Amino acid sequence: MSEAALYVVATPIGNLQDMTLRAVEVLQSVSLIAAEDTRHSARLLSHFNINTRQLSVHEHNERQRSEMIVQQLAAGNSVALISDAGTPLISDPGYILVGIVREAGYRVVPLPGCAAFVTALSAAGLASDRFSFEGFPPAKKGARLEQYRSLADESRTLIFYESPHRVLDSLRDMAQAFGGDRKVAVARELTKTFETIRSGSLDELLVWMEADHNQQKGEFVLLVEAAPRRKEESLGAEQLRILSLLTEELPVSQAAALAAKITGIKKKVLYQAALEINKG
C-alpha cells in the first residue's frame, strides 16, 4: 500500500466463507483496524489469521477516534474500518469517520461485500428496481406506527431492519398502517444455520410467527411490497366548467388551487387540466 488510505471493508453477516480474498489481504496489510467491537471482531480476525492491531470505534467515541485515525493516515499508515457484520455505515457507525477522513484529504477505498438488506432483497421476490432502505424503525410504538403510516403510499419496496424482541410488534404495526393484505417478506438469520425467508400477506405472516416462537429469534430484515397504484382522478363536466371559468380570471396555479377547494379534486390534477385548457 503505497498511499495511506482508509479502507471500508465489508465482512460476513454470518457465514465466514462469505469473506472476500481482497478483504483478508487488506486487513492483514493495514497498520490498524478500526472495529465497532474489538471483542466481536477477534473471532473473525483469528479465523483468517489476521494479527493487525485493533482500535474500537463506535457511536459513543467515533468523533474522538476519527482524530486519532487521521493522525495515523498523516503518518503514512493505512487503516481499515469494519463493523460487527456486513458493510460499515449501513445502520452502523462510520459515516462521521469517513467524512472527517475525506475532509482531511485522504483516500477512502470501499471494499464491497455482504449487506443484509441487499441479500434479503435478492431473494424476497419483491420488486427490486426501486426500493427504500429505512434501517431500524423507532423503538417506541407511537413513533414506529407514525413512520409506517407516513410510508403507506410509498411506491417503492420498503426495507427495514428489526430486532427479535420487537419484530412481532413491528409486524402488527405494519398491518395496522399498511393493511393486513399487504405482501411482505421476512428474512431471518441470513447466511446462518437457521436462515429463513418467508413471504405472504402481513396477516398470514403474523399467524405464522405467533404460532412458532423460534421464528421470533435472530436478526431480521422486513421487506414490504410497494403500495398499489391509485387510479388517477378524472374530471367530470361540472369540474371542468368550474376550472374553465376560473382560468379565464386567474393564473393557472391560482385557478387550480381554488378549484381544488371547491371540487375536492387534487390540485395537481386540476393544474394539468388547466394547462390543457389554456392551450386550447
Side-chain angles (χ1 to χ4, degrees):
M1 297 182 182
S2 56
E3 180 184 350
L6 174 67
Y7 291 85
V8 182
V9 182
T11 57
I13 58 177
N15 192 324
L16 294 181
Q17 293 182 357
D18 292 333
M19 188 75 161
T20 68
L21 295 175
R22 185 183 176 202
V24 173
E25 180 182 355
V26 166
L27 293 179
Q28 289 174 334
S29 304
V30 294
S31 300
L32 180 68
I33 296 174
E36 183 179 1
D37 185 334
T38 55
R39 293 167 300 179
H40 182 92
S41 300
R43 174 173 169 265
L44 173 74
L45 301 182
S46 175
H47 182 83
F48 291 102
N49 195 29
I50 298 169
N51 299 310
T52 307
R53 181 169 66 94
Q54 291 191 77
L55 176 72
S56 65
V57 177
H58 48 72
E59 60 180 334
H60 302 297
N61 70 0
E62 186 175 352
R63 193 168 296 277
Q64 176 190 1
R65 295 295 205 214
S66 296
E67 296 174 4
M68 297 173 61
I69 289 170
V70 169
Q71 291 174 6
Q72 287 286 323
L73 297 171
N77 300 318
S78 288
V79 179
L81 171 66
I82 62 174
S83 61
D84 286 349
T87 301
L89 282 73
I90 307 301
S91 286
D92 279 324
Y95 82 91
I96 293 175
L97 169 60
V98 168
I100 290 174
V101 168
R102 291 183 63 85
E103 287 177 7
Y106 296 99
R107 284 198 310 148
V108 177
V109 182
L111 272 67
C114 296
F117 83 88
V118 175
T119 305
L121 182 62
S122 71
L126 298 178
S128 57
D129 54 335
R130 297 178 67 244
F131 60 87
S132 176
F133 173 61
E134 299 292 329
F136 283 94
K140 293 185 177 180
K141 178 180 177 64
R144 185 170 62 237
L145 191 54
E146 182 180 355
Q147 181 184 16
Y148 289 161
R149 283 173 173 160
S150 72
L151 295 168
D153 294 326
E154 176 58 59
S155 61
R156 298 169 291 179
T157 297
L158 297 169
I159 308 174
F160 302 88
Y161 286 164
E162 193 52 283
S163 60
H165 60 281
R166 286 200 298 264
V167 66
L168 200 54
D169 288 337
S170 202
L171 287 172
R172 288 169 180 154
D173 290 341
M174 283 183 178
Q176 186 175 343
F178 302 138
D181 58 346
R182 183 76 69 91
K183 186 177 180 181
V184 296
V186 173
R188 182 179 76 93
E189 292 291 88
L190 291 170
T191 78
K192 301 175 186 176
T193 303
F194 297 105
E195 175 181 276
T196 305
I197 303 173
R198 184 157 179 144
S199 60
S201 71
L202 275 161
D203 285 343
E204 291 169 344
L205 290 188
L206 274 168
V207 171
W208 165 70
M209 188 171 286
E210 288 170 344
D212 187 351
H213 186 71
N214 286 326
Q215 298 302 332
Q216 301 172 33
K217 299 177 181 178
E219 297 176 334
F220 290 86
V221 184
L222 307 178
L223 305 97
V224 183
E225 185 178 40
R229 291 186 178 180
R230 294 182 177 180
K231 294 181 179 179
E232 287 291 334
E233 295 178 90
S234 58
L235 301 181
E238 181 62 14
Q239 287 92 355
L240 285 171
R241 186 184 73 82
I242 292 171
L243 182 62
S244 181
L245 290 172
L246 291 172
T247 55
E248 291 177 5
E249 305 294 334
L250 297 170
V252 168
S253 181
Q254 293 180 25
L258 184 54
K261 291 181 180 179
I262 296 171
T263 64
I265 301 295
K266 289 183 178 179
K267 179 183 174 181
K268 180 180 177 181
V269 175
L270 291 162
Y271 182 82
Q272 293 299 322
L275 290 176
E276 293 299 321
I277 291 172
N278 274 2
K279 286 180 182 178

